[in-house]
Amino acid sequence: MKVPLLDLKAQYAPIRDDIRAAIDEVCDAQYFILGGKVSALEEKIAAYCGTSGAIGVTSGSDALLIALMAMDVGPGDAVITTPYTFFATVGSIVRLGATPVFADIDPVSYNIDPGSVRALLENWPARFKESRPKVLLPVHLYGQCADMAPLLDLASEHGLKVVEDAAQAIGSEYPHEGSARKAGAMGDVGCFSFFPSKNLGGFGDGGMVTTNDPALEEKIKMLRNHGSSPKYYHGLVGGNFRLDAIQAAVLDVKLQHLETWHEARRKNARRYNEAFAGSPIVAPQAAYEDAGVRNYHIYNQYIVRVPQRDAMREGLLSRNVGCEIYYPLPLHMQECFETLGYQKGEFPESEKAAAETLALPIYPELTDEMQDYVADSLCELVAAGV
Ligand SMILES: *Cc1c(COP(=O)(O)O)cnc(C)c1O
C-alpha cells in the first residue's frame, strides 16, 4: 500500500465540477485582480472567523508582513514569538528591520508558552535593550490555538499589539466564557494562508488578514495596493499584496466544505490516538477538547513524538508512508539569523520538538485501511526499535 502525506487529487475529484464552473465565471468576466469575487470571499471569511473585516492578500507570508507594516513595526521594535514555527513568521519581522525575541514552547501543545513570555517581559534580556517590545505574535501551530487568555492578558498588561499567525488554524476555536473565539479574531490582527496544503488551500498562493479594528482594516487595504487611496494618490508606501479572483473563486467553493473536512481530520486523529494508546508513540494532545468547543483542533498536521525519530521516518518512507518533519531546525538556529546572536540550547523545548516529532498523513480522504496501514507500520517500527 502507498499512503501519501497529503492527497489533493482526492479532495479535488468530488468538487471538480463546482470548481471549474467557478473558475469559468472568472474567465468569462476577465476581471482578475481583487473585485467582486475577492470581496465576496472576504465577507465570508470575516463571517466565518467572527471578525468585522477581512482583507485578501497574496499569501500567508504577506499577511504577516502587511499586518506588521500596518502596526509600523520597524527598527528598534521587538516582536515576541516562537522559534518553533514556519520560517515566514519570523522572516516577516526581520524583513521590517525589527528584532524577533523568542520565547520557548509548551512541550505538550507545541505552542508558545505564556510562562516563558511572562518571564521574558518581566526580565527583558540585556542584549535586547535597544529594542522595545511592541507586538506579541503567537502561532496556532498544527491547527490548535495557542493559550490565548494568558497571552492576551500579558499583551494588555505590557501594551503590546497582538498578531495571530493562524496560517495553519482557520476555523480553530479557543474556549471563552462558555463559548468559543476563533483563531484570527482574538488579537488585533489574524493572518491566514491559503497555501495548497493548508486546510483551506487555493490553486496557488493566497492569504487573508482578519481584524475587528476598522482603522487597521482601512490601513491594510491601502497597504496591499501600494498605499493608494484614492487610486494614484499614495498616503503610504505599501506593495502589491492583492489576492486574485481565480484564487477567491476556488476558495469560495472549498469554504463550503471546510467544516466537513475539519471533522474528518478530527475523526482520523481519534483513530490514530486509539491505535497509539499505550505505546511509546506520543499522540498530540487536544488541550481544549473537553471545553465544549467544536473545532478544538483542526489537525492541519497530526504530530507524534517518537523515539529514534529519524530512523522511524526512514522506516515509514521505505514502506511508502508519507511523513514529514515540521520543523527540523528551530528558527533561532537558522544560519540567516546568526547575527541575532542566539545559541543552541537556549530554547530546549523547541529543540527537543524539532528532534523528536513527525507528521503523519491526516487528510480528510484517508481511508480506514490506509490509516491502519500507517498506524500498524509505525507501531511495528517502534516495537522493533529501528
Ligand atoms: C504556511 C504558513 C505561513 C506562510 O504562508 P504562505 O501562504 O505559504 O506564505 C506562515 N506561518 C505558518 C505557521 C505557516 O504554516
Side-chain angles (χ1 to χ4, degrees), residues 115-126:
S116 306
V117 175
R118 175 174 291 285
L120 191 62
L121 284 165
E122 288 178 355
N123 193 6
W124 193 246

Side-chain angles (χ1 to χ4, degrees), residues 61 64-65 68 73 79-103 137 139 165 330-334 336-337 340 342:
S61 303
L64 289 159
L65 187 65
L68 296 177
V73 167
V79 177
I80 298 170
T81 192
T82 161
Y84 188 63
T85 176
F86 178 60
F87 180 82
T89 315
V90 178
S92 64
I93 301 165
V94 176
R95 281 179 66 185
L96 293 172
T99 305
V101 176
F102 295 121
L137 205 177
V139 180
D165 183 341
L331 296 178
H332 67 283
M333 290 162 69
Q334 296 287 345
C336 66
F337 296 143
L340 296 171
Y342 287 105

Side-chain angles (χ1 to χ4, degrees), residues 6 8 22 60 106 132 148 164 201 214 227 233 250 268 292 304 319:
L6 176 66
L8 287 173
D106 168 84
R132 194 178 57 94
M148 289 303 286
E164 295 171 67
Y233 291 82
V250 169
N268 293 343
V304 291
R319 291 174 182 223

Side-chain angles (χ1 to χ4, degrees), residues 12-50:
Y12 179 52
I15 57 174
R16 185 176 187 274
D17 292 345
D18 292 346
I19 294 221
R20 291 181 68 108
I23 292 176
D24 247 347
E25 279 182 40
V26 179
C27 296
D28 289 337
Q30 290 289 302
Y31 197 105
F32 297 113
I33 306 294
L34 300 177
K37 285 275 182 204
V38 171
S39 44
L41 180 73
E42 289 172 340
E43 275 172 34
K44 286 181 191 178
I45 295 285
Y48 181 69
C49 295

